[in-house]
Amino acid sequence: MMRRRRREMVGLNTTSTADISFMLLVFFLVTSSMDTDKGMERLLPPPQDNTETQEVEVKKRNVMELRIDANNQLTCNGEAITTGELAQRVALFVANANDDATLPEKSEREVNLLGRCRVSDRHVITIEADRATTYEAYFNMQNAIVKGYNKLRNDLALHRFGHEYARCTDMEREAIKMVYPQRISENPQPSDQSD
């Protein structure tokens, strides 16, 4: 009888498998993009000494009062509005193109790249949000305010520099921000509901 010789399987060399796996992992981490959440761009005021508090008197015509209550109802100077209307109201209020006596005062300043300009630097948008307001309603209101400022800044960039605000250089952006600075004051409003 013939004996069959059993063949032994040759082992596979796997010493470099771990190195290759690590290199592939690093490659995919470096080349893939990861979505990051962006927050609102707000510059907090510097901390102040408790000993010194200054009250600044602001004329009523220079203030736009926004309130959002516990039911997410938005009011502008006591009048109920939607977030869709808010962006247009902010743009009209800040721009005051016709020097309306009921809208914010303007001052004349020298602005880099733009020369002597009438600047909307006296307006203030005050926000009072109830603590029971939903985040969605609050951020929709904030986005509408930013949309109003962005419209003004974009229009000025197109008029003076011939391109959109997003394509402006840092110096051009600073000049436009001097003409239309964001002046927002936030005050939390106590909730009507008891805890």
Side-chain angles (χ1 to χ4, degrees), residues 74 79-92 144:
L74 177 64
E79 179 187 341
I81 62 167
T82 65
T83 54
E85 298 168 323
L86 181 58
Q88 184 180 9
R89 288 239 187 144
V90 167
L92 289 172

Side-chain angles (χ1 to χ4, degrees), residues 17-31:
T17 307
D19 294 334
I20 292 170
S21 300
F22 180 72
M23 288 186 341
L24 284 172
L25 178 65
V26 169
F27 172 77
F28 286 117
L29 285 174
V30 169
T31 59

Side-chain angles (χ1 to χ4, degrees), residues 94-111:
V94 174
N96 190 8
N98 299 324
D99 286 329
D100 189 337
T102 61
L103 295 175
E105 300 169 297
K106 291 185 168 188
S107 56
E108 197 159 316
R109 297 174 88 180
E110 187 69 31
V111 178

Side-chain angles (χ1 to χ4, degrees), residues 20-118:
I20 292 170
S21 300
F22 180 72
M23 288 186 341
L24 284 172
L25 178 65
V26 169
F27 172 77
F28 286 117
L29 285 174
V30 169
T31 59
S32 65
S33 64
M34 299 200 189
D35 293 335
T36 56
D37 293 334
K38 287 189 173 182
M40 294 184 300
E41 289 185 21
R42 291 287 182 266
L43 182 63
L44 297 175
Q48 295 180 346
D49 295 336
N50 290 339
T51 57
E52 289 185 41
T53 55
Q54 291 182 346
E55 285 193 29
V56 178
E57 196 168 315
V58 181
K59 293 181 182 178
K60 184 156 181 68
R61 72 179 272 188
N62 293 336
V63 178
M64 175 185 271
E65 294 177 352
L66 298 177
R67 289 196 174 117
I68 188 162
D69 64 15
N71 298 323
N72 300 327
Q73 178 62 47
L74 177 64
T75 59
C76 177
N77 295 333
E79 179 187 341
I81 62 167
T82 65
T83 54
E85 298 168 323
L86 181 58
Q88 184 180 9
R89 288 239 187 144
V90 167
L92 289 172
F93 175 76
V94 174
N96 190 8
N98 299 324
D99 286 329
D100 189 337
T102 61
L103 295 175
E105 300 169 297
K106 291 185 168 188
S107 56
E108 197 159 316
R109 297 174 88 180
E110 187 69 31
V111 178
N112 289 342
L113 304 178
L114 298 177
R116 199 110 181 111
C117 294
R118 298 207 21 97

